[in-house]
Amino acid sequence: MARRNDHSRDELREMALSAAERVLQQEGFKALSARRVAADIGYSAGSLYTLFKNLDDLCWQLNARTLTQLLAELDRVEQTDAKSCLLAYGHAYMAFAHDHPARWALLFEHGGSRDMPTPASLSERIDSLFARVEVCLQQLKPEMPAAECALTARTLWSGVHGIAVLALRQKLFLDQAQSADKMLQQLVDHFIKGWLIEECRDA
Amino acid sequence: MARRNDHSRDELREMALSAAERVLQQEGFKALSARRVAADIGYSAGSLYTLFKNLDDLCWQLNARTLTQLLAELDRVEQTDAKSCLLAYGHAYMAFAHDHPARWALLFEHGGSRDMPTPASLSERIDSLFARVEVCLQQLKPEMPAAECALTARTLWSGVHGIAVLALRQKLFLDQAQSADKMLQQLVDHFIKGWLIEECRDA
DNA sequence: AATAATTATGAACGATGTTCAAAATAATGA
DNA sequence: TCATTATTTTGAACATCGTTCATAATTATT
């Protein structure tokens, strides 16, 4: 029953999001609740609804943060050769998924219910991710029209994403970890090769 | 408070699973609850716990049914040419995901929390799915060792899965529906081409 | 007909998301 | 300095959730 003014509104939002990330990381998706997050930052559950419209809103904002962090990881890639760069992106992507499974899963499993549209803050970041892939592809095929470039980038990256999903969810039933790396290598390798080679007969 | 014996135990389980599927299909994941399913078959919530260990158990059994239905869809493919067959599998897979979004999503989003292992009834069916892909690949490269075949099948199918995921979740931000089909075509086409061509210089 | 075995119930428990009147504090103006 | 206004935080309340379990109601068996 009080105003404490210990922190600004933005500080509180930041604290709440950090707490939510901590809960996700350490105790998984099922442990994430309004009361839990509120308790972790020393406030009551009702207070969260001053900072966020509802829990969905908190998740959207959380996802935006996750994506910026993921993009930052991708930007640590230093390969200049286009294909090596794509592979390094893939590795970074899968490493991120592996290191932050709950947050990464939330990225794709949240908001799946109804027509609820993905907020712009998210779609911008996703586009920015695809843009990095497009740059690599453009480098491999300079004369390629932009539309094809966008499509191809999404095809290739969907493949990388799919490997990450099934590996993380353990739906592959091979001998675990390094298979995923091999698969990534295979995917990028064969896809790029097949994409570049137009001569050499139509198989 | 009574025994009615209107239906056998197995009939009841069947009714409950069907009701759950109906709820998922018509009202989405968030509408699925023990009380809802029980009410839909004219029983009380507590009765469900005579039929299933808990809601997770119901979901596992539901997923097993979903997978058998998916496999049946795949078996309607009639292409004999290996590559056309793979493409047809891909189309069938994505059509299924499109037509049964909630049940399909449950297949991959359920049980993601902890070390809870995928039950054998599920992993068997998933293996059976991969087996179909392996047959096609084996046909394209008869001399290929089984281990490589298994890995390649999973790589290719992860790609198909990834396209389905991102298309369904609308994380691609192209002009929707037919892009997914183009992407599928692109993926299978380029991946297979790149996989088959070993001569023709190493790009 | 009496007894045993089964099956369905609904109340109960703790937990969830969310709302909102009230309470407590800070800011402001006198 | 004090009264007033504006802001912030609360905690109780509501409906819902998964789950358990003693008990009631019914069938099966003796």
Side-chain angles (χ1 to χ4, degrees):
Chain A
M1 358 43 187
R3 171 198 259 183
R4 293 191 249 138
N5 253 10
D6 288 341
H7 311 90
S8 81
R9 243 76 240 306
D10 286 336
E11 276 174 334
L12 277 179
R13 240 183 298 271
E14 158 71 28
M15 289 165 64
L17 290 171
S18 286
E21 288 172 351
R22 215 168 30 236
V23 171
L24 276 179
Q25 184 74 9
Q26 295 175 359
E27 309 180 35
F29 175 75
K30 309 196 72 170
L32 185 65
S33 76
R35 285 176 167 88
R36 180 66 155 75
V37 170
D40 273 27
I41 62 173
Y43 279 75
S44 76
S47 301
L48 273 194
Y49 292 80
T50 306
L51 306 170
F52 306 95
K53 193 163 146 278
N54 50 34
L55 262 207
D56 267 352
D57 181 30
L58 184 148
C59 284
W60 286 121
Q61 297 197 31
L62 209 151
N63 279 344
R65 283 163 60 105
T66 305
L67 265 185
T68 53
Q69 190 184 336
L70 170 59
L71 287 173
E73 293 291 333
L74 292 189
D75 284 339
R76 306 189 64 215
V77 167
E78 288 183 334
Q79 268 79 5
T80 53
D81 168 53
K83 193 174 149 194
S84 314
C85 186
L86 283 173
L87 246 174
Y89 282 161
H91 271 114
Y93 189 74
M94 292 184 40
F96 188 90
H98 177 268
D99 292 340
H100 314 283
R103 277 158 66 196
W104 184 76
L106 196 67
L107 227 33
F108 302 96
E109 293 170 16
H110 176 247
S113 52
R114 219 66 329 246
D115 37 25
M116 177 162 53
T118 306
S121 57
L122 266 196
S123 47
E124 280 167 14
R125 287 173 170 85
I126 297 183
D127 270 338
S128 156
L129 193 158
F130 284 136
R132 284 164 174 75
V133 180
E134 291 176 28
V135 167
C136 292
L137 293 181
Q138 201 61 261
Q139 196 172 326
L140 287 170
K141 232 190 206 179
E143 78 284 2
M144 173 180 42
E148 187 195 332
C149 186
L151 193 78
T152 308
R154 279 156 181 80
T155 302
L156 176 57
W157 206 255
S158 294
V160 175
H161 178 71
I163 295 177
V165 174
L166 296 186
L168 208 81
R169 294 287 185 184
Q170 301 184 280
K171 302 290 192 209
L172 293 169
F173 310 117
L174 294 174
D175 40 16
Q176 74 217 22
Q178 70 217 27
S179 324
D181 271 358
K182 276 193 205 159
M183 290 169 64
L184 174 62
Q185 197 119 7
Q186 235 195 359
L187 176 74
V188 175
D189 224 63
H190 294 155
F191 182 84
I192 295 289
K193 205 188 281 181
W195 176 59
L196 286 178
I197 292 178
E198 315 244 352
E199 57 274 36
C200 231
R201 89 181 145 298
D202 234 23
Chain B
M1 354 51 186
R3 171 200 259 185
R4 293 188 249 141
N5 252 12
D6 287 342
H7 312 91
S8 80
R9 232 84 197 90
D10 285 336
E11 276 175 334
L12 277 180
R13 240 183 298 272
E14 157 72 29
M15 290 165 63
L17 289 171
S18 287
E21 286 171 354
R22 216 169 28 239
V23 171
L24 275 180
Q25 185 72 9
Q26 295 174 1
E27 310 180 37
F29 175 75
K30 307 195 74 169
L32 185 66
S33 75
R35 287 176 167 89
R36 180 67 155 78
V37 169
D40 273 27
I41 62 173
Y43 279 74
S44 75
S47 301
L48 274 193
Y49 292 80
T50 307
L51 306 170
F52 306 95
K53 192 163 147 279
N54 49 36
L55 261 207
D56 267 352
D57 182 29
L58 186 149
C59 285
W60 286 121
Q61 297 197 30
L62 209 151
N63 279 343
R65 283 163 60 105
T66 305
L67 265 186
T68 53
Q69 190 184 334
L70 171 59
L71 287 173
E73 294 291 333
L74 292 190
D75 284 338
R76 304 190 64 217
V77 167
E78 288 183 333
Q79 268 78 5
T80 53
D81 169 53
K83 193 176 149 193
S84 314
C85 186
L86 284 174
L87 246 174
Y89 282 161
H91 271 114
Y93 189 76
M94 291 184 42
F96 188 90
H98 178 267
D99 292 340
H100 315 284
R103 277 157 66 197
W104 184 76
L106 196 67
L107 227 33
F108 301 98
E109 292 169 16
H110 174 249
S113 51
R114 218 71 322 253
D115 37 24
M116 177 160 54
T118 307
S121 57
L122 266 196
S123 47
E124 279 167 16
R125 287 171 169 86
I126 297 182
D127 270 338
S128 155
L129 194 159
F130 284 136
R132 284 164 173 75
V133 180
E134 293 176 28
V135 166
C136 293
L137 293 182
Q138 201 60 260
Q139 196 172 326
L140 287 170
K141 231 191 207 179
E143 77 286 1
M144 174 180 40
E148 187 195 333
C149 186
L151 192 79
T152 308
R154 280 156 181 78
T155 302
L156 176 56
W157 206 256
S158 294
V160 175
H161 178 72
I163 295 177
V165 174
L166 296 186
L168 207 82
R169 294 287 185 185
Q170 303 184 277
K171 303 289 191 209
L172 294 168
F173 310 115
L174 294 173
D175 40 18
Q176 73 217 23
Q178 70 218 27
S179 325
D181 271 358
K182 276 192 204 160
M183 289 169 64
L184 174 62
Q185 198 119 8
Q186 234 195 0
L187 176 73
V188 175
D189 225 63
H190 294 157
F191 182 83
I192 296 289
K193 205 188 283 182
W195 177 58
L196 286 178
I197 293 179
E198 314 245 352
E199 56 274 37
C200 230
R201 90 183 144 295
D202 234 24

